[in-house]
Amino acid sequence: MPPLCTVIIPVYEHWHLIPALVQCLQRQKLSQESFEVLLVDNGSTHFSPPAELPGNICILHCAT
């Protein structure tokens, strides 16, 4: 079953803030299967995503 909604989060250089964001998203009342999260790297020069992410979070890259 597809997710009910998609959360799109552009990220530029602030990958160190993503773990706290993920914790907040995991506290949502919707089940994790009900939504997906797309973290979109906008050409960061210091790309350093968290080592582990929940299954409903995907990282994409956008050079522009």
Side-chain angles (χ1 to χ4, degrees):
M1 185 171 198
L4 293 174
C5 64
T6 301
V7 179
I8 302 171
I9 303 168
V11 183
Y12 179 73
E13 303 295 348
H14 292 97
W15 285 97
H16 64 281
L17 298 174
I18 298 303
L21 175 68
V22 169
Q23 287 178 353
C24 290
L25 290 169
Q26 288 180 319
R27 291 192 298 259
Q28 297 297 311
K29 293 185 182 200
L30 287 173
S31 69
Q32 298 296 298
E33 298 81 28
S34 297
F35 67 98
E36 66 179 346
V37 179
L38 303 178
L39 298 174
V40 183
D41 176 56
N42 285 8
S44 298
T45 56
H46 301 291
F47 177 69
S48 56
E52 294 184 28
L53 291 169
N56 66 330
I57 297 180
C58 179
I59 296 176
L60 303 173
H61 299 277
C62 179
T64 59

